[in-house]
Amino acid sequence: MTPSVAPPAAPGPARSTLYLQVLVAIVAGALLGYIAPGWGEQMKPLGDAFIKLVRMLIAPIIFTTVVVGLAGMGNLRKVGRVGLKAVVYFEAATTLALIIGLVVVNLVAPGAGIHAHPASLDTTAVSTYTTQAKSLGTVAFLLNLIPATFAGAFSEGDILQVLVLALLFGVALSRLGEHARPVMNLLHDVARVFFGIVEFVTRLAPIAAFGAMAFTIGKYGLGTLVQLGQLMACVYLTCLVFIFGGLGLVARLTGFSLWRLLKFLKEELLIVLGTSSSEAALPGLMRKLEEVGCTKSVVGIVVPSGYSFNLDGTCIYLTMAALFIAQATDTPLTLGGQLGLLAILLITSKGAAGVTGSGFITLAATLAATDTIPVAGMALILGVDRFMSEARALTNFIGNAVATLVVAKWDREFDAAKAVAILPSR
């Protein structure tokens, strides 16, 4: 009952050179921010506008993709099976990310020698995050999955709420049999329209990358990087170890080349780098994963849920930031205390899904839960948090691309013929 899908069009000149345009824009934005910080700060609306344009399209794309995919599966048990496999993979991947972060931050100890006393730190700037962290909780999180109205999920742009609605709609549609075909065909065509809009919006990515990078360098300056450069270097190094070590091994065992996958997603990766937002590349990721052989249903379930529950880069950052603060404030942590911190992070790293600034909010909630590491220490890393967001976003993005391919292959919802020319294992 699945509608036929036209083969993806060959990339045109604009798409084939997009990654070069974004790369040049990132360099140009960094130079402007460094040479003329005032002008650089004024470029912020360029990046913000692009991210708002993409976020405007995410909800309808997820809804139509998930509904058509689920309704076309026919067997509802398969939906549950895909979801369960995705959850198992998410937990394994995020646990690995937390452990790698814990090991590296202990070996390098970037916060050692700072000797910052919590009482001497200015916590005014982090008060917003600590206040929001108090509202995080399991009950509040579960209630937030249910939108106030059907249209409310789309107006708010909450990925998890849209996913819940799509699951309900898709399941109901699948039970209608042939009566559902007109609705499915309509939603399929609507999805193609929205992906067409994405193609147009994506052409604005170089302007967005220029504006976002100019603002970041102009506002925070390169001096901040030097001041806390060791922490930043540790985060970026750990993310690279996780991507090419952990995810590279997973890709090899699953039967595809991680490096070829990254080359296939180069435009989206540079958009993420330029805007510091993995959401900015979500529609492109979904489209390309379907092109490479993953079924629409698997893409529709794994990618949106992964953007909330498979945040590998955020997990690495949370572990390293928490241990950095402990080291910088001379807070002693035993091995048992660090393992306890890891256990808390396994829970809190899922609790702020879909919340703006969730990385810093989750860190505040985690430190408060430990009742050992001073929350005031967050003031130490606030200045460089923005510079580490690129590493988090890129790792989250790559982690979800790999997760979707793994689950698709695991559940035999993968067309190897489509992938053979793009992601060979050798």
Side-chain angles (χ1 to χ4, degrees):
M1 193 169 70
T2 306
S4 60
V5 181
R15 178 174 160 187
S16 63
T17 60
L18 179 65
Y19 71 100
L20 289 176
Q21 296 172 18
V22 174
L23 187 60
V24 171
I26 290 172
V27 174
L31 287 174
L32 176 64
Y34 178 70
I35 296 171
W39 287 9
E41 286 192 54
Q42 294 177 29
M43 298 297 108
K44 186 175 185 292
L46 297 178
D48 291 347
F50 177 78
I51 293 175
K52 288 185 69 175
L53 279 171
V54 175
R55 284 180 176 169
M56 172 186 71
L57 300 169
I58 286 176
I61 284 175
I62 289 177
F63 183 80
T64 53
T65 301
V66 174
V67 169
V68 172
L70 292 184
M73 288 177 84
N75 186 356
L76 297 184
R77 290 183 180 179
K78 188 183 292 186
V79 177
R81 190 173 68 240
V82 170
L84 179 60
K85 289 177 179 178
V87 170
V88 170
Y89 178 87
F90 292 165
E91 284 302 318
T94 52
T95 301
L96 177 62
L98 288 169
I99 292 173
I100 290 176
L102 199 67
V103 171
V104 174
V105 77
N106 273 286
L107 289 175
V108 181
I114 294 180
H115 306 300
H117 195 282
S120 64
L121 297 173
D122 182 10
T123 60
T124 305
V126 300
S127 59
T128 302
Y129 299 101
T130 55
T131 301
Q132 286 182 270
K134 293 177 182 177
S135 64
L136 294 180
T138 304
V139 175
F141 170 71
L142 293 175
L143 286 176
N144 190 57
L145 292 177
I146 306 172
T149 63
F150 191 93
F154 295 90
S155 62
E156 294 293 330
D158 190 306
I159 292 178
L160 287 179
Q161 291 184 354
V162 173
L163 185 58
V164 168
L165 289 179
L167 289 171
L168 293 173
F169 200 99
V171 168
L173 201 61
S174 68
R175 300 181 65 181
L176 295 178
E178 286 301 314
H179 296 289
R181 184 177 292 277
V183 180
M184 286 182 61
N185 289 335
L186 174 62
L187 289 175
H188 177 69
D189 290 337
V190 170
R192 295 184 65 174
V193 171
F194 278 108
F195 276 113
I197 299 174
V198 168
E199 288 282 352
F200 173 74
V201 171
T202 302
R203 296 180 186 178
L204 303 176
I207 299 174
F210 170 80
M213 191 57 64
F215 165 75
T216 299
I217 301 298
K219 181 173 179 62
Y220 299 103
L222 295 176
T224 311
L225 301 184
V226 177
Q227 184 181 2
L228 294 174
Q230 193 172 10
L231 172 62
M232 284 191 57
C234 281
V235 171
Y236 275 85
L237 172 64
T238 308
C239 287
L240 288 173
V241 170
F242 176 78
I243 291 170
F244 293 103
L247 296 181
L249 178 60
V250 170
R252 178 69 63 178
L253 293 175
T254 309
F256 65 91
S257 166
L258 176 66
W259 182 249
R260 288 183 179 271
L261 174 63
L262 297 183
K263 288 179 66 178
F264 182 58
L265 297 172
K266 59 182 179 292
E267 292 93 348
E268 287 74 21
L269 287 169
L270 281 171
I271 290 173
V272 173
L273 176 64
T275 60
S276 297
S277 170
S278 56
E279 282 189 358
L282 187 150
L285 175 63
M286 295 181 73
R287 174 177 51 80
K288 283 195 171 181
L289 286 173
E290 287 185 41
E291 287 180 14
V292 86
C294 299
T295 61
K296 186 182 290 290
S297 56
V298 170
V299 171
I301 294 172
V302 179
V303 174
S305 57
Y307 263 65
S308 295
F309 300 114
N310 187 41
L311 305 177
D312 301 326
T314 302
C315 286
I316 289 172
Y317 163 78
L318 290 172
T319 312
M320 304 194 78
L323 267 292
F324 172 84
I325 292 172
Q327 293 167 358
T329 56
D330 298 318
T331 303
L333 276 182
T334 62
L335 177 60
Q338 294 190 30
L339 292 177
L341 174 66
L342 189 146
I344 293 172
L345 283 168
L346 281 173
I347 300 171
T348 57
S349 61
K350 310 295 189 298
V355 180
T356 303
S358 60
F360 225 57
I361 296 169
T362 305
L363 179 60
T366 303
L367 297 186
T370 63
D371 201 27
T372 304
I373 306 173
V375 179
M378 291 174 58
L380 291 169
I381 62 173
L382 184 62
V384 293
D385 178 74
R386 179 64 178 77
F387 289 102
M388 290 185 285
S389 62
E390 284 87 358
R392 296 199 299 266
L394 285 169
T395 308
N396 291 340
F397 179 84
I398 296 170
N400 283 308
V402 172
T404 308
L405 283 164
V406 170
V407 174
K409 286 200 159 195
W410 187 3
D411 204 58
R412 297 181 182 178
E413 292 287 325
F414 185 77
D415 187 347
K418 287 185 179 181
V420 67
I422 303 174
L423 305 177
S425 58
R426 293 289 187 271

